[in-house]
Amino acid sequence: MKVSQLGHKMSHMNTKTPVTSQELGAVLKGLIREKGVRQSDISTETGIPLNSFNRKLNGGVFNFEELMKVAQSLDTPLSEILSRAEALTRQNLAA
């Protein structure tokens, strides 16, 4: 099951705010900085190869299981990650 895909949009629950994979990646990168960890740390903890993880952060595709592992590794609920991505989308649409 694909959570996000380049050029495609997804919606979290019943909201009307579409989230792109680029916005999801931007939120994840921000959380990585906030938590003071490296992408390589998350890669190791999740089992996602570093080059694949980097590509996914930059607009690639995370499957649901990968996204759950990343959320767990960042000690952040997936719902919070998606809420942040929706807020970023609203901000980008308003700009």
Side-chain angles (χ1 to χ4, degrees), residues 4-6 8-10 17-31 56-60 62 81-94:
S4 63
Q5 192 167 18
L6 182 62
H8 289 74
K9 298 186 179 205
M10 61 180 230
T17 308
V19 175
T20 68
S21 55
Q22 288 82 8
E23 290 155 340
L24 181 61
V27 167
L28 290 173
K29 287 184 212 176
L31 280 167
K56 292 167 190 271
L57 287 176
N58 289 296
F62 282 98
I81 293 169
L82 293 175
S83 292
R84 288 184 183 205
E86 288 173 340
L88 179 58
T89 299
R90 286 190 296 273
Q91 180 182 11
N92 289 342
L93 290 173

PDB file of all heavy atoms in Angstrom, residues 4-6 8-10 17-31 56-60 62 81-94:
ATOM      1  N   SER A   4       2.394   7.699  -0.024  1.00  0.00           N
ATOM      2  CA  SER A   4       2.528   8.910  -0.829  1.00  0.00           C
ATOM      3  C   SER A   4       3.302   8.541  -2.086  1.00  0.00           C
ATOM      4  O   SER A   4       4.030   7.581  -2.111  1.00  0.00           O
ATOM      5  CB  SER A   4       3.253  10.005  -0.054  1.00  0.00           C
ATOM      6  OG  SER A   4       4.568   9.589   0.243  1.00  0.00           O
ATOM      7  N   GLN A   5       3.121   9.322  -3.117  1.00  0.00           N
ATOM      8  CA  GLN A   5       3.788   9.027  -4.366  1.00  0.00           C
ATOM      9  C   GLN A   5       4.033  10.325  -5.101  1.00  0.00           C
ATOM     10  O   GLN A   5       3.196  11.217  -5.095  1.00  0.00           O
ATOM     11  CB  GLN A   5       2.927   8.089  -5.204  1.00  0.00           C
ATOM     12  CG  GLN A   5       3.648   7.502  -6.382  1.00  0.00           C
ATOM     13  CD  GLN A   5       2.869   6.350  -6.980  1.00  0.00           C
ATOM     14  OE1 GLN A   5       1.686   6.185  -6.745  1.00  0.00           O
ATOM     15  NE2 GLN A   5       3.540   5.552  -7.757  1.00  0.00           N
ATOM     16  N   LEU A   6       5.207  10.427  -5.712  1.00  0.00           N
ATOM     17  CA  LEU A   6       5.589  11.625  -6.440  1.00  0.00           C
ATOM     18  C   LEU A   6       4.491  11.993  -7.430  1.00  0.00           C
ATOM     19  O   LEU A   6       4.026  11.182  -8.204  1.00  0.00           O
ATOM     20  CB  LEU A   6       6.899  11.393  -7.186  1.00  0.00           C
ATOM     21  CG  LEU A   6       7.478  12.548  -7.956  1.00  0.00           C
ATOM     22  CD1 LEU A   6       7.811  13.698  -7.020  1.00  0.00           C
ATOM     23  CD2 LEU A   6       8.722  12.121  -8.691  1.00  0.00           C
ATOM     24  N   HIS A   8       1.468  12.551  -6.876  1.00  0.00           N
ATOM     25  CA  HIS A   8       0.142  12.180  -6.406  1.00  0.00           C
ATOM     26  C   HIS A   8      -0.096  12.833  -5.062  1.00  0.00           C
ATOM     27  O   HIS A   8       0.824  13.193  -4.361  1.00  0.00           O
ATOM     28  CB  HIS A   8       0.013  10.659  -6.272  1.00  0.00           C
ATOM     29  CG  HIS A   8      -0.026   9.979  -7.594  1.00  0.00           C
ATOM     30  ND1 HIS A   8       1.087   9.832  -8.384  1.00  0.00           N
ATOM     31  CD2 HIS A   8      -1.041   9.424  -8.275  1.00  0.00           C
ATOM     32  CE1 HIS A   8       0.744   9.204  -9.488  1.00  0.00           C
ATOM     33  NE2 HIS A   8      -0.541   8.943  -9.446  1.00  0.00           N
ATOM     34  N   LYS A   9      -1.323  12.942  -4.698  1.00  0.00           N
ATOM     35  CA  LYS A   9      -1.675  13.555  -3.422  1.00  0.00           C
ATOM     36  C   LYS A   9      -2.439  12.555  -2.584  1.00  0.00           C
ATOM     37  O   LYS A   9      -3.077  11.659  -3.103  1.00  0.00           O
ATOM     38  CB  LYS A   9      -2.512  14.811  -3.656  1.00  0.00           C
ATOM     39  CG  LYS A   9      -1.733  15.843  -4.438  1.00  0.00           C
ATOM     40  CD  LYS A   9      -2.480  17.113  -4.559  1.00  0.00           C
ATOM     41  CE  LYS A   9      -1.606  18.072  -5.344  1.00  0.00           C
ATOM     42  NZ  LYS A   9      -1.893  19.425  -5.070  1.00  0.00           N
ATOM     43  N   MET A  10      -2.320  12.740  -1.278  1.00  0.00           N
ATOM     44  CA  MET A  10      -3.056  11.879  -0.368  1.00  0.00           C
ATOM     45  C   MET A  10      -3.770  12.759   0.636  1.00  0.00           C
ATOM     46  O   MET A  10      -3.388  13.888   0.860  1.00  0.00           O
ATOM     47  CB  MET A  10      -2.128  10.907   0.346  1.00  0.00           C
ATOM     48  CG  MET A  10      -1.069  11.570   1.186  1.00  0.00           C
ATOM     49  SD  MET A  10      -0.044  10.353   1.963  1.00  0.00           S
ATOM     50  CE  MET A  10      -0.124  10.986   3.624  1.00  0.00           C
ATOM     51  N   THR A  17      -7.399  18.499   2.921  1.00  0.00           N
ATOM     52  CA  THR A  17      -6.084  19.037   2.644  1.00  0.00           C
ATOM     53  C   THR A  17      -5.208  17.946   2.029  1.00  0.00           C
ATOM     54  O   THR A  17      -4.761  17.054   2.732  1.00  0.00           O
ATOM     55  CB  THR A  17      -5.431  19.558   3.944  1.00  0.00           C
ATOM     56  OG1 THR A  17      -6.337  20.446   4.584  1.00  0.00           O
ATOM     57  CG2 THR A  17      -4.138  20.273   3.648  1.00  0.00           C
ATOM     58  N   PRO A  18      -4.953  18.011   0.724  1.00  0.00           N
ATOM     59  CA  PRO A  18      -4.104  17.000   0.094  1.00  0.00           C
ATOM     60  C   PRO A  18      -2.640  17.217   0.487  1.00  0.00           C
ATOM     61  O   PRO A  18      -2.168  18.342   0.564  1.00  0.00           O
ATOM     62  CB  PRO A  18      -4.315  17.235  -1.399  1.00  0.00           C
ATOM     63  CG  PRO A  18      -4.688  18.678  -1.495  1.00  0.00           C
ATOM     64  CD  PRO A  18      -5.416  19.011  -0.221  1.00  0.00           C
ATOM     65  N   VAL A  19      -1.937  16.151   0.759  1.00  0.00           N
ATOM     66  CA  VAL A  19      -0.532  16.210   1.150  1.00  0.00           C
ATOM     67  C   VAL A  19       0.292  15.517   0.074  1.00  0.00           C
ATOM     68  O   VAL A  19       0.001  14.399  -0.305  1.00  0.00           O
ATOM     69  CB  VAL A  19      -0.325  15.502   2.508  1.00  0.00           C
ATOM     70  CG1 VAL A  19       1.151  15.443   2.868  1.00  0.00           C
ATOM     71  CG2 VAL A  19      -1.120  16.204   3.597  1.00  0.00           C
ATOM     72  N   THR A  20       1.323  16.205  -0.414  1.00  0.00           N
ATOM     73  CA  THR A  20       2.204  15.593  -1.405  1.00  0.00           C
ATOM     74  C   THR A  20       3.350  14.874  -0.710  1.00  0.00           C
ATOM     75  O   THR A  20       3.649  15.128   0.462  1.00  0.00           O
ATOM     76  CB  THR A  20       2.781  16.641  -2.376  1.00  0.00           C
ATOM     77  OG1 THR A  20       3.678  17.492  -1.657  1.00  0.00           O
ATOM     78  CG2 THR A  20       1.686  17.443  -3.054  1.00  0.00           C
ATOM     79  N   SER A  21       4.006  14.006  -1.432  1.00  0.00           N
ATOM     80  CA  SER A  21       5.146  13.292  -0.869  1.00  0.00           C
ATOM     81  C   SER A  21       6.287  14.251  -0.547  1.00  0.00           C
ATOM     82  O   SER A  21       7.049  14.018   0.389  1.00  0.00           O
ATOM     83  CB  SER A  21       5.601  12.182  -1.816  1.00  0.00           C
ATOM     84  OG  SER A  21       5.866  12.695  -3.092  1.00  0.00           O
ATOM     85  N   GLN A  22       6.401  15.357  -1.272  1.00  0.00           N
ATOM     86  CA  GLN A  22       7.431  16.349  -0.976  1.00  0.00           C
ATOM     87  C   GLN A  22       7.178  16.994   0.391  1.00  0.00           C
ATOM     88  O   GLN A  22       8.110  17.230   1.160  1.00  0.00           O
ATOM     89  CB  GLN A  22       7.481  17.439  -2.059  1.00  0.00           C
ATOM     90  CG  GLN A  22       8.058  16.975  -3.371  1.00  0.00           C
ATOM     91  CD  GLN A  22       7.039  16.254  -4.248  1.00  0.00           C
ATOM     92  OE1 GLN A  22       5.843  16.204  -3.953  1.00  0.00           O
ATOM     93  NE2 GLN A  22       7.516  15.678  -5.324  1.00  0.00           N
ATOM     94  N   GLU A  23       5.930  17.296   0.689  1.00  0.00           N
ATOM     95  CA  GLU A  23       5.593  17.895   1.981  1.00  0.00           C
ATOM     96  C   GLU A  23       5.805  16.894   3.119  1.00  0.00           C
ATOM     97  O   GLU A  23       6.332  17.242   4.171  1.00  0.00           O
ATOM     98  CB  GLU A  23       4.161  18.426   1.955  1.00  0.00           C
ATOM     99  CG  GLU A  23       4.030  19.648   1.065  1.00  0.00           C
ATOM    100  CD  GLU A  23       2.646  19.880   0.504  1.00  0.00           C
ATOM    101  OE1 GLU A  23       1.825  18.941   0.458  1.00  0.00           O
ATOM    102  OE2 GLU A  23       2.397  21.018   0.095  1.00  0.00           O
ATOM    103  N   LEU A  24       5.441  15.663   2.889  1.00  0.00           N
ATOM    104  CA  LEU A  24       5.675  14.626   3.885  1.00  0.00           C
ATOM    105  C   LEU A  24       7.170  14.486   4.153  1.00  0.00           C
ATOM    106  O   LEU A  24       7.604  14.419   5.307  1.00  0.00           O
ATOM    107  CB  LEU A  24       5.082  13.298   3.414  1.00  0.00           C
ATOM    108  CG  LEU A  24       5.221  12.120   4.358  1.00  0.00           C
ATOM    109  CD1 LEU A  24       4.528  12.398   5.677  1.00  0.00           C
ATOM    110  CD2 LEU A  24       4.661  10.868   3.713  1.00  0.00           C
ATOM    111  N   GLY A  25       7.962  14.487   3.094  1.00  0.00           N
ATOM    112  CA  GLY A  25       9.418  14.404   3.247  1.00  0.00           C
ATOM    113  C   GLY A  25       9.981  15.592   4.004  1.00  0.00           C
ATOM    114  O   GLY A  25      10.864  15.441   4.854  1.00  0.00           O
ATOM    115  N   ALA A  26       9.472  16.787   3.720  1.00  0.00           N
ATOM    116  CA  ALA A  26       9.942  17.989   4.412  1.00  0.00           C
ATOM    117  C   ALA A  26       9.647  17.898   5.908  1.00  0.00           C
ATOM    118  O   ALA A  26      10.486  18.275   6.741  1.00  0.00           O
ATOM    119  CB  ALA A  26       9.291  19.233   3.813  1.00  0.00           C
ATOM    120  N   VAL A  27       8.485  17.385   6.263  1.00  0.00           N
ATOM    121  CA  VAL A  27       8.133  17.223   7.673  1.00  0.00           C
ATOM    122  C   VAL A  27       9.051  16.201   8.335  1.00  0.00           C
ATOM    123  O   VAL A  27       9.553  16.431   9.448  1.00  0.00           O
ATOM    124  CB  VAL A  27       6.647  16.812   7.824  1.00  0.00           C
ATOM    125  CG1 VAL A  27       6.343  16.336   9.236  1.00  0.00           C
ATOM    126  CG2 VAL A  27       5.751  17.984   7.447  1.00  0.00           C
ATOM    127  N   LEU A  28       9.296  15.101   7.661  1.00  0.00           N
ATOM    128  CA  LEU A  28      10.179  14.085   8.233  1.00  0.00           C
ATOM    129  C   LEU A  28      11.593  14.625   8.415  1.00  0.00           C
ATOM    130  O   LEU A  28      12.229  14.381   9.449  1.00  0.00           O
ATOM    131  CB  LEU A  28      10.182  12.829   7.361  1.00  0.00           C
ATOM    132  CG  LEU A  28       8.879  12.027   7.370  1.00  0.00           C
ATOM    133  CD1 LEU A  28       8.935  10.909   6.351  1.00  0.00           C
ATOM    134  CD2 LEU A  28       8.578  11.491   8.762  1.00  0.00           C
ATOM    135  N   LYS A  29      12.092  15.378   7.441  1.00  0.00           N
ATOM    136  CA  LYS A  29      13.429  15.978   7.574  1.00  0.00           C
ATOM    137  C   LYS A  29      13.468  16.927   8.764  1.00  0.00           C
ATOM    138  O   LYS A  29      14.446  16.957   9.512  1.00  0.00           O
ATOM    139  CB  LYS A  29      13.803  16.732   6.302  1.00  0.00           C
ATOM    140  CG  LYS A  29      14.148  15.846   5.131  1.00  0.00           C
ATOM    141  CD  LYS A  29      14.585  16.722   3.976  1.00  0.00           C
ATOM    142  CE  LYS A  29      14.233  16.143   2.651  1.00  0.00           C
ATOM    143  NZ  LYS A  29      14.573  17.040   1.540  1.00  0.00           N
ATOM    144  N   GLY A  30      12.402  17.707   8.941  1.00  0.00           N
ATOM    145  CA  GLY A  30      12.326  18.614  10.083  1.00  0.00           C
ATOM    146  C   GLY A  30      12.343  17.866  11.408  1.00  0.00           C
ATOM    147  O   GLY A  30      13.023  18.278  12.357  1.00  0.00           O
ATOM    148  N   LEU A  31      11.611  16.770  11.473  1.00  0.00           N
ATOM    149  CA  LEU A  31      11.592  15.967  12.701  1.00  0.00           C
ATOM    150  C   LEU A  31      12.956  15.351  12.975  1.00  0.00           C
ATOM    151  O   LEU A  31      13.384  15.273  14.131  1.00  0.00           O
ATOM    152  CB  LEU A  31      10.532  14.868  12.602  1.00  0.00           C
ATOM    153  CG  LEU A  31       9.106  15.311  12.867  1.00  0.00           C
ATOM    154  CD1 LEU A  31       8.113  14.232  12.438  1.00  0.00           C
ATOM    155  CD2 LEU A  31       8.921  15.642  14.339  1.00  0.00           C
ATOM    156  N   LYS A  56      13.337   8.674  -0.679  1.00  0.00           N
ATOM    157  CA  LYS A  56      11.951   8.768  -0.198  1.00  0.00           C
ATOM    158  C   LYS A  56      11.707  10.106   0.503  1.00  0.00           C
ATOM    159  O   LYS A  56      10.639  10.692   0.361  1.00  0.00           O
ATOM    160  CB  LYS A  56      11.639   7.591   0.734  1.00  0.00           C
ATOM    161  CG  LYS A  56      11.598   6.257   0.007  1.00  0.00           C
ATOM    162  CD  LYS A  56      11.612   5.090   0.979  1.00  0.00           C
ATOM    163  CE  LYS A  56      11.818   3.777   0.283  1.00  0.00           C
ATOM    164  NZ  LYS A  56      10.623   3.129  -0.159  1.00  0.00           N
ATOM    165  N   LEU A  57      12.694  10.593   1.244  1.00  0.00           N
ATOM    166  CA  LEU A  57      12.564  11.893   1.909  1.00  0.00           C
ATOM    167  C   LEU A  57      12.456  13.036   0.908  1.00  0.00           C
ATOM    168  O   LEU A  57      11.934  14.094   1.223  1.00  0.00           O
ATOM    169  CB  LEU A  57      13.762  12.156   2.827  1.00  0.00           C
ATOM    170  CG  LEU A  57      13.817  11.368   4.116  1.00  0.00           C
ATOM    171  CD1 LEU A  57      15.121  11.671   4.850  1.00  0.00           C
ATOM    172  CD2 LEU A  57      12.619  11.663   5.002  1.00  0.00           C
ATOM    173  N   ASN A  58      12.956  12.818  -0.278  1.00  0.00           N
ATOM    174  CA  ASN A  58      12.965  13.859  -1.299  1.00  0.00           C
ATOM    175  C   ASN A  58      11.888  13.652  -2.355  1.00  0.00           C
ATOM    176  O   ASN A  58      12.071  14.001  -3.514  1.00  0.00           O
ATOM    177  CB  ASN A  58      14.357  13.948  -1.936  1.00  0.00           C
ATOM    178  CG  ASN A  58      15.358  14.525  -0.970  1.00  0.00           C
ATOM    179  OD1 ASN A  58      15.241  15.668  -0.561  1.00  0.00           O
ATOM    180  ND2 ASN A  58      16.327  13.722  -0.562  1.00  0.00           N
ATOM    181  N   GLY A  59      10.757  13.094  -1.941  1.00  0.00           N
ATOM    182  CA  GLY A  59       9.613  12.989  -2.835  1.00  0.00           C
ATOM    183  C   GLY A  59       9.327  11.606  -3.353  1.00  0.00           C
ATOM    184  O   GLY A  59       8.437  11.431  -4.179  1.00  0.00           O
ATOM    185  N   GLY A  60      10.053  10.616  -2.859  1.00  0.00           N
ATOM    186  CA  GLY A  60       9.801   9.242  -3.295  1.00  0.00           C
ATOM    187  C   GLY A  60       8.627   8.631  -2.553  1.00  0.00           C
ATOM    188  O   GLY A  60       7.804   9.334  -1.965  1.00  0.00           O
ATOM    189  N   PHE A  62       7.036   6.113   0.294  1.00  0.00           N
ATOM    190  CA  PHE A  62       7.108   5.293   1.506  1.00  0.00           C
ATOM    191  C   PHE A  62       5.896   4.376   1.492  1.00  0.00           C
ATOM    192  O   PHE A  62       4.786   4.826   1.234  1.00  0.00           O
ATOM    193  CB  PHE A  62       6.987   6.152   2.776  1.00  0.00           C
ATOM    194  CG  PHE A  62       8.216   6.897   3.165  1.00  0.00           C
ATOM    195  CD1 PHE A  62       8.366   8.223   2.828  1.00  0.00           C
ATOM    196  CD2 PHE A  62       9.217   6.274   3.889  1.00  0.00           C
ATOM    197  CE1 PHE A  62       9.489   8.929   3.204  1.00  0.00           C
ATOM    198  CE2 PHE A  62      10.340   6.967   4.277  1.00  0.00           C
ATOM    199  CZ  PHE A  62      10.493   8.299   3.937  1.00  0.00           C
ATOM    200  N   ILE A  81       2.729  13.359  12.423  1.00  0.00           N
ATOM    201  CA  ILE A  81       3.486  13.592  11.190  1.00  0.00           C
ATOM    202  C   ILE A  81       2.548  14.042  10.078  1.00  0.00           C
ATOM    203  O   ILE A  81       2.811  15.017   9.373  1.00  0.00           O
ATOM    204  CB  ILE A  81       4.266  12.319  10.786  1.00  0.00           C
ATOM    205  CG1 ILE A  81       5.365  12.039  11.832  1.00  0.00           C
ATOM    206  CG2 ILE A  81       4.847  12.448   9.384  1.00  0.00           C
ATOM    207  CD1 ILE A  81       6.031  10.691  11.690  1.00  0.00           C
ATOM    208  N   LEU A  82       1.429  13.350   9.936  1.00  0.00           N
ATOM    209  CA  LEU A  82       0.472  13.711   8.891  1.00  0.00           C
ATOM    210  C   LEU A  82      -0.174  15.066   9.160  1.00  0.00           C
ATOM    211  O   LEU A  82      -0.397  15.844   8.230  1.00  0.00           O
ATOM    212  CB  LEU A  82      -0.586  12.620   8.749  1.00  0.00           C
ATOM    213  CG  LEU A  82      -0.061  11.288   8.210  1.00  0.00           C
ATOM    214  CD1 LEU A  82      -1.157  10.235   8.217  1.00  0.00           C
ATOM    215  CD2 LEU A  82       0.547  11.440   6.841  1.00  0.00           C
ATOM    216  N   SER A  83      -0.446  15.371  10.425  1.00  0.00           N
ATOM    217  CA  SER A  83      -1.003  16.681  10.763  1.00  0.00           C
ATOM    218  C   SER A  83      -0.033  17.798  10.411  1.00  0.00           C
ATOM    219  O   SER A  83      -0.433  18.847   9.887  1.00  0.00           O
ATOM    220  CB  SER A  83      -1.345  16.751  12.255  1.00  0.00           C
ATOM    221  OG  SER A  83      -2.419  15.896  12.536  1.00  0.00           O
ATOM    222  N   ARG A  84       1.243  17.577  10.688  1.00  0.00           N
ATOM    223  CA  ARG A  84       2.252  18.582  10.328  1.00  0.00           C
ATOM    224  C   ARG A  84       2.334  18.747   8.812  1.00  0.00           C
ATOM    225  O   ARG A  84       2.498  19.863   8.311  1.00  0.00           O
ATOM    226  CB  ARG A  84       3.627  18.192  10.866  1.00  0.00           C
ATOM    227  CG  ARG A  84       3.770  18.335  12.356  1.00  0.00           C
ATOM    228  CD  ARG A  84       5.191  18.027  12.758  1.00  0.00           C
ATOM    229  NE  ARG A  84       5.390  18.068  14.187  1.00  0.00           N
ATOM    230  CZ  ARG A  84       6.560  18.309  14.763  1.00  0.00           C
ATOM    231  NH1 ARG A  84       7.636  18.544  14.025  1.00  0.00           N
ATOM    232  NH2 ARG A  84       6.669  18.322  16.069  1.00  0.00           N
ATOM    233  N   ALA A  85       2.242  17.640   8.097  1.00  0.00           N
ATOM    234  CA  ALA A  85       2.289  17.705   6.625  1.00  0.00           C
ATOM    235  C   ALA A  85       1.069  18.463   6.090  1.00  0.00           C
ATOM    236  O   ALA A  85       1.187  19.251   5.144  1.00  0.00           O
ATOM    237  CB  ALA A  85       2.372  16.305   6.032  1.00  0.00           C
ATOM    238  N   GLU A  86      -0.086  18.238   6.684  1.00  0.00           N
ATOM    239  CA  GLU A  86      -1.290  18.968   6.272  1.00  0.00           C
ATOM    240  C   GLU A  86      -1.141  20.463   6.550  1.00  0.00           C
ATOM    241  O   GLU A  86      -1.534  21.292   5.734  1.00  0.00           O
ATOM    242  CB  GLU A  86      -2.523  18.419   6.991  1.00  0.00           C
ATOM    243  CG  GLU A  86      -2.932  17.058   6.491  1.00  0.00           C
ATOM    244  CD  GLU A  86      -4.055  16.442   7.311  1.00  0.00           C
ATOM    245  OE1 GLU A  86      -4.276  16.871   8.466  1.00  0.00           O
ATOM    246  OE2 GLU A  86      -4.695  15.530   6.796  1.00  0.00           O
ATOM    247  N   ALA A  87      -0.572  20.816   7.702  1.00  0.00           N
ATOM    248  CA  ALA A  87      -0.356  22.222   8.033  1.00  0.00           C
ATOM    249  C   ALA A  87       0.603  22.862   7.042  1.00  0.00           C
ATOM    250  O   ALA A  87       0.393  24.007   6.605  1.00  0.00           O
ATOM    251  CB  ALA A  87       0.175  22.354   9.458  1.00  0.00           C
ATOM    252  N   LEU A  88       1.643  22.141   6.660  1.00  0.00           N
ATOM    253  CA  LEU A  88       2.590  22.650   5.666  1.00  0.00           C
ATOM    254  C   LEU A  88       1.902  22.842   4.320  1.00  0.00           C
ATOM    255  O   LEU A  88       2.118  23.843   3.633  1.00  0.00           O
ATOM    256  CB  LEU A  88       3.778  21.702   5.532  1.00  0.00           C
ATOM    257  CG  LEU A  88       4.849  22.091   4.519  1.00  0.00           C
ATOM    258  CD1 LEU A  88       5.439  23.458   4.838  1.00  0.00           C
ATOM    259  CD2 LEU A  88       5.942  21.026   4.474  1.00  0.00           C
ATOM    260  N   THR A  89       1.028  21.916   3.960  1.00  0.00           N
ATOM    261  CA  THR A  89       0.278  22.037   2.716  1.00  0.00           C
ATOM    262  C   THR A  89      -0.591  23.286   2.732  1.00  0.00           C
ATOM    263  O   THR A  89      -0.597  24.066   1.769  1.00  0.00           O
ATOM    264  CB  THR A  89      -0.621  20.805   2.493  1.00  0.00           C
ATOM    265  OG1 THR A  89       0.210  19.645   2.401  1.00  0.00           O
ATOM    266  CG2 THR A  89      -1.446  20.934   1.233  1.00  0.00           C
ATOM    267  N   ARG A  90      -1.302  23.501   3.834  1.00  0.00           N
ATOM    268  CA  ARG A  90      -2.151  24.701   3.947  1.00  0.00           C
ATOM    269  C   ARG A  90      -1.309  25.965   3.846  1.00  0.00           C
ATOM    270  O   ARG A  90      -1.689  26.929   3.181  1.00  0.00           O
ATOM    271  CB  ARG A  90      -2.942  24.676   5.257  1.00  0.00           C
ATOM    272  CG  ARG A  90      -4.093  23.696   5.250  1.00  0.00           C
ATOM    273  CD  ARG A  90      -5.003  23.840   6.444  1.00  0.00           C
ATOM    274  NE  ARG A  90      -4.341  23.547   7.711  1.00  0.00           N
ATOM    275  CZ  ARG A  90      -4.237  22.325   8.244  1.00  0.00           C
ATOM    276  NH1 ARG A  90      -4.759  21.292   7.605  1.00  0.00           N
ATOM    277  NH2 ARG A  90      -3.619  22.153   9.389  1.00  0.00           N
ATOM    278  N   GLN A  91      -0.149  25.948   4.499  1.00  0.00           N
ATOM    279  CA  GLN A  91       0.749  27.094   4.443  1.00  0.00           C
ATOM    280  C   GLN A  91       1.220  27.343   3.000  1.00  0.00           C
ATOM    281  O   GLN A  91       1.234  28.475   2.537  1.00  0.00           O
ATOM    282  CB  GLN A  91       1.951  26.845   5.355  1.00  0.00           C
ATOM    283  CG  GLN A  91       2.970  27.958   5.389  1.00  0.00           C
ATOM    284  CD  GLN A  91       4.158  27.593   6.276  1.00  0.00           C
ATOM    285  OE1 GLN A  91       4.314  26.448   6.702  1.00  0.00           O
ATOM    286  NE2 GLN A  91       4.991  28.562   6.546  1.00  0.00           N
ATOM    287  N   ASN A  92       1.579  26.294   2.309  1.00  0.00           N
ATOM    288  CA  ASN A  92       2.042  26.423   0.926  1.00  0.00           C
ATOM    289  C   ASN A  92       0.921  26.903   0.000  1.00  0.00           C
ATOM    290  O   ASN A  92       1.159  27.689  -0.917  1.00  0.00           O
ATOM    291  CB  ASN A  92       2.607  25.099   0.410  1.00  0.00           C
ATOM    292  CG  ASN A  92       3.931  24.742   1.059  1.00  0.00           C
ATOM    293  OD1 ASN A  92       4.607  25.592   1.631  1.00  0.00           O
ATOM    294  ND2 ASN A  92       4.296  23.480   0.988  1.00  0.00           N
ATOM    295  N   LEU A  93      -0.299  26.442   0.250  1.00  0.00           N
ATOM    296  CA  LEU A  93      -1.432  26.859  -0.583  1.00  0.00           C
ATOM    297  C   LEU A  93      -1.783  28.329  -0.348  1.00  0.00           C
ATOM    298  O   LEU A  93      -2.248  29.017  -1.254  1.00  0.00           O
ATOM    299  CB  LEU A  93      -2.644  25.984  -0.308  1.00  0.00           C
ATOM    300  CG  LEU A  93      -2.557  24.531  -0.783  1.00  0.00           C
ATOM    301  CD1 LEU A  93      -3.754  23.731  -0.298  1.00  0.00           C
ATOM    302  CD2 LEU A  93      -2.423  24.461  -2.294  1.00  0.00           C
ATOM    303  N   ALA A  94      -1.561  28.806   0.886  1.00  0.00           N
ATOM    304  CA  ALA A  94      -1.881  30.191   1.218  1.00  0.00           C
ATOM    305  C   ALA A  94      -0.827  31.169   0.695  1.00  0.00           C
ATOM    306  O   ALA A  94      -1.099  32.358   0.556  1.00  0.00           O
ATOM    307  CB  ALA A  94      -2.021  30.346   2.732  1.00  0.00           C
TER     308      ALA A  94
END
